[in-house]
Amino acid sequence: MAVLRRCAGFVLRTCSRLLLAVIRFVSFFSRKPPGVSAPRDPLLLTPASVLAERIRRGEVRSSAVVQAFISRIREVNPTINALVCDRFDEALREARAVDELVSSGTQDRATLKQNFPLLGVPVSVKEAFALQGMPQSSGLISRRSFRSEHDAAVVSRLKRAGAIPLGVTNCSELCMWYESSNNIYGRTRNPYNPQHIVGGSSGGEGCIIAAGGSVIGVGSDIGGSIRMPAYFNGIYGHKPTSGIVPNDGQFPDAHGSRTELLGTGPMCRYAVDLPLVLKVMAGKGVEKLSLNKDVSLRSLKYFSMENDGGCLFVSPVDEELVQAQRKVVKHLEAELRVSVQPIHIHNLRYSFQIWSAAMSSDGDEGQSFTDMMANGRTMWPSFELLKWIFGLSKHTLPAIGLALTEKLANLNPEGSAKMIQKAKHLKEEISSLLGDDGILLYPSHPKIAPKHNEPLAMPFNFAYTGIFNVLGLPVTQCPLGLNEAGLPLGIQIISSRHNDHLTLALAQYLEKSLVGWTPPGNI
């Protein structure tokens, strides 16, 4: 068996390298689009929590803040293609209403803060979420003309807290690929280098926030769809403990056991905003967390794992990412006087297989990915692939490939059952390791933001994030500056269930003491 595994690994790596070589050869002849300039307006460089406080105090008008972000979007969006439908006129009307409320003096600042913690602050929303009057296609051509008649649960809560949506942002087809590109809106491009991907599926969110066109956003995550875009775009993203934030109002929605995998959470340019936005999104669910509890970082246990242990399906971790993680470890040990223990968790090498088994474990209870692609019609993935080859398919290649993979996964129920069992053991092992005072540092992804189409040669690399959806653990993606080529570095911070406050506290500490969001266009 060991010989067979080595042979299989050799074949997979060889095929991946050949495909990657072809993609890079083709991309070599493509035109390099211009990059984006760094944001200069001070309003664009202010955390959401500070903006809200300044608006409540009357120091700045919400209409001026919203107009500043609209101007920035108009400046950068032709290059990055992140915001796919705007509601600028409505946003400005809502901002003027906020200004009138503040100037009326009918509520004092304390009451305004209690009722509207995000008063007058612009927010962007992933197109997969219902935002009244906006499209909600999730990149599926058959839903191109659909418009939402209501707001998703988290969008409604953000509005009630005073936030003002600017529009909806791009994602991958049906939110199941880690490059945000589809046949309705096209491809979103990285603000640090437009030849590179923004991640997926909340790629438009990560991109517009990093480019300075929004300060906070709404993302969803079933295999890393908050954390990968946050990492590739150098911002913060938080996947909460499963079951805390409602997923209602998304398309596609999760069914059966997939409900535990899907998480809705905040994407922010500044770590200080994560707890505030999470509280608003969670509503009463926040009572299960301890977000107001003071965290003594020096009293925590710290663990670090630099790779997954060597999965055959996943790329090795880039050396620059290894060094960035080691820099964090050294920083914590030097500044906090703590010991960060290197560990090896054997079953993490099966992350991709475990996630795949969890996604296909619903049997007849859940709607298949193929069914969602068909959207009420009949579709055969193999025939769709043939149509794609001749340019006749309405679907993207990654979506067709996932539909084919789904069919293959269902052919091995015994193997899936074994992986589900491994997931249970892994959950017990990590929960026991971390307890209520432990932190695990783990790579966000094995590669620094690839160029467009390169994920086709390494489709399973999302396993570094996907495994924590299966485990239901809270994870904060934290930026770690830029590499020599000017692309973002990052790391995942993980804790046990309902201990989101630990990862959020460490993210805020690293933002202050090490590095946070680095604006694009500065190098």
Side-chain angles (χ1 to χ4, degrees):
M1 287 299 293
V3 174
L4 287 175
R5 282 196 296 269
R6 284 196 294 269
C7 290
F10 174 78
V11 171
L12 283 169
R13 285 190 291 270
T14 300
C15 292
S16 176
R17 287 167 182 166
L18 287 173
L19 180 56
L20 192 58
V22 171
I23 293 170
R24 287 176 174 171
F25 177 78
V26 173
S27 68
F28 178 79
F29 296 97
S30 62
R31 182 180 66 86
K32 181 179 180 179
V36 302
S37 61
R40 302 297 181 191
D41 189 328
L43 292 176
L44 302 177
L45 302 173
T46 305
S49 52
V50 177
L51 283 174
E53 183 61 24
R54 292 188 64 194
I55 290 170
R56 288 191 293 265
R57 289 177 177 273
E59 297 173 1
V60 63
R61 295 173 68 84
S62 174
S63 54
V65 174
V66 169
Q67 184 58 62
F69 280 91
I70 290 173
S71 298
R72 177 62 177 175
I73 291 171
R74 286 175 170 157
E75 175 190 350
V76 300
N77 209 52
T79 296
I80 59 178
N81 188 35
L83 197 86
V84 294
C85 190
D86 71 71
R87 57 185 304 278
F88 292 161
D89 291 341
E90 296 94 328
L92 286 169
R93 282 198 297 269
E94 291 161 8
R96 288 191 288 270
V98 167
D99 295 336
E100 291 174 5
L101 172 64
V102 173
S103 62
S104 70
T106 55
Q107 297 184 43
D108 60 26
R109 286 202 300 269
T111 304
L112 284 174
K113 184 174 184 179
Q114 181 178 358
N115 294 338
F116 307 108
L118 291 170
L119 186 64
V121 174
V123 60
S124 46
V125 179
K126 183 180 182 179
E127 200 252 17
F129 286 86
L131 173 57
Q132 189 175 30
M134 292 285 101
Q136 192 192 15
S137 68
S138 291
L140 195 63
I141 282 185
S142 60
R143 286 176 60 93
R144 171 179 260 160
S145 61
F146 182 88
R147 292 294 184 275
S148 297
E149 297 179 354
H150 63 281
D151 293 324
V154 291
V155 174
S156 177
R157 288 175 179 180
L158 287 166
K159 281 184 172 181
R160 290 200 301 269
I164 299 175
L166 298 175
V168 292
T169 55
N170 205 16
C171 56
S172 53
E173 184 177 357
L174 283 173
C175 301
M176 290 298 289
W177 183 238
Y178 72 95
E179 176 162 13
S180 290
S181 179
N182 58 67
N183 290 333
I184 296 179
Y185 305 116
R187 170 178 288 150
T188 301
R189 294 173 285 273
N190 196 298
Y192 294 88
N193 185 330
Q195 289 185 306
H196 292 252
I197 72 170
V198 296
S201 60
S202 311
E205 274 303 295
C207 180
I208 200 66
I209 293 170
S214 180
V215 64
I216 57 174
V218 179
S220 57
D221 189 315
I222 200 169
S225 290
I226 287 174
R227 290 159 289 152
M228 283 186 290
Y231 158 57
F232 289 136
N233 293 281
I235 65 167
Y236 295 87
H238 183 71
K239 184 197 82 65
T241 298
S242 61
I244 296 297
V245 179
N247 294 316
D248 308 58
Q250 291 186 60
F251 176 81
D253 198 1
H255 300 276
S257 64
R258 292 181 189 174
T259 305
E260 288 295 309
L261 274 69
L262 180 62
T264 296
M267 301 176 72
C268 303
R269 205 177 323 136
Y270 301 101
V272 68
D273 290 332
L274 287 172
L276 173 60
V277 182
L278 178 57
K279 287 177 184 177
V280 172
M281 286 183 165
K284 291 184 178 180
V286 79
E287 296 171 0
K288 298 179 181 180
L289 307 180
S290 303
L291 296 187
N292 293 324
K293 184 178 180 180
D294 291 333
V295 177
S296 173
L297 294 175
R298 285 187 170 86
S299 302
L300 301 182
K301 301 177 298 186
Y302 293 89
F303 306 92
S304 177
M305 188 166 169
E306 295 178 352
N307 59 66
D308 66 358
C311 176
L312 294 176
F313 302 101
V314 177
S315 302
V317 178
D318 282 348
E319 183 60 26
E320 285 180 295
L321 293 171
V322 174
Q323 293 304 321
Q325 184 163 333
R326 290 176 180 175
K327 182 178 179 180
V328 173
V329 170
K330 291 180 180 178
H331 179 79
L332 295 176
E333 291 183 330
E335 299 300 321
L336 295 180
R337 305 294 182 184
V338 297
S339 175
V340 182
Q341 180 181 343
I343 59 169
H344 174 76
I345 302 173
H346 177 77
N347 279 335
L348 280 176
R349 71 173 58 196
Y350 301 105
S351 292
F352 165 68
Q353 298 95 312
I354 290 172
W355 183 88
S356 298
M359 283 292 290
S360 60
S361 65
D362 283 339
D364 295 331
E365 296 178 16
Q367 189 179 28
S368 71
F369 185 70
T370 303
D371 292 337
M372 289 186 284
M373 287 177 65
N375 197 26
R377 302 177 182 179
T378 301
M379 192 196 82
W380 294 275
S382 54
F383 182 58
E384 203 64 35
L385 177 60
L386 183 63
K387 287 168 61 180
W388 182 88
I389 292 172
F390 291 98
L392 301 175
S393 176
K394 295 182 179 180
H395 300 286
T396 58
L397 181 59
I400 297 170
L402 182 59
L404 287 166
T405 303
E406 181 181 60
K407 296 293 184 184
L408 293 174
N410 291 331
L411 295 177
N412 185 18
E414 291 183 4
S416 294
K418 290 181 180 178
M419 289 301 152
I420 295 297
Q421 195 62 34
K422 281 187 181 294
K424 292 179 180 178
H425 293 322
L426 184 58
K427 188 173 184 177
E428 293 170 358
E429 181 180 3
I430 294 181
S431 297
S432 175
L433 175 75
L434 298 180
D436 288 327
D437 61 350
I439 290 283
L440 172 62
L441 304 177
Y442 195 66
S444 303
H445 196 80
K447 308 295 290 184
I448 293 166
K451 289 188 175 181
H452 297 298
N453 296 316
E454 287 187 1
L456 293 170
M458 35 194 174
F460 310 123
N461 282 354
F462 72 89
Y464 270 80
T465 49
I467 186 60
F468 298 108
N469 294 84
V470 179
L471 303 179
L473 302 180
V475 187
T476 303
Q477 145 60 33
C478 189
L480 296 177
L482 309 179
N483 74 344
E484 292 184 1
L487 292 168
L489 303 167
I491 194 170
Q492 290 187 95
I493 305 172
I494 301 118
S495 66
S496 58
R497 286 179 62 85
H498 301 129
N499 283 290
D500 302 52
H501 62 298
L502 302 184
T503 68
L504 296 172
L506 182 57
Q508 292 175 75
Y509 170 76
L510 291 176
E511 179 180 43
K512 293 178 181 178
S513 66
L514 189 60
V515 65
W517 168 70
T518 305
N522 278 342
I523 63 170

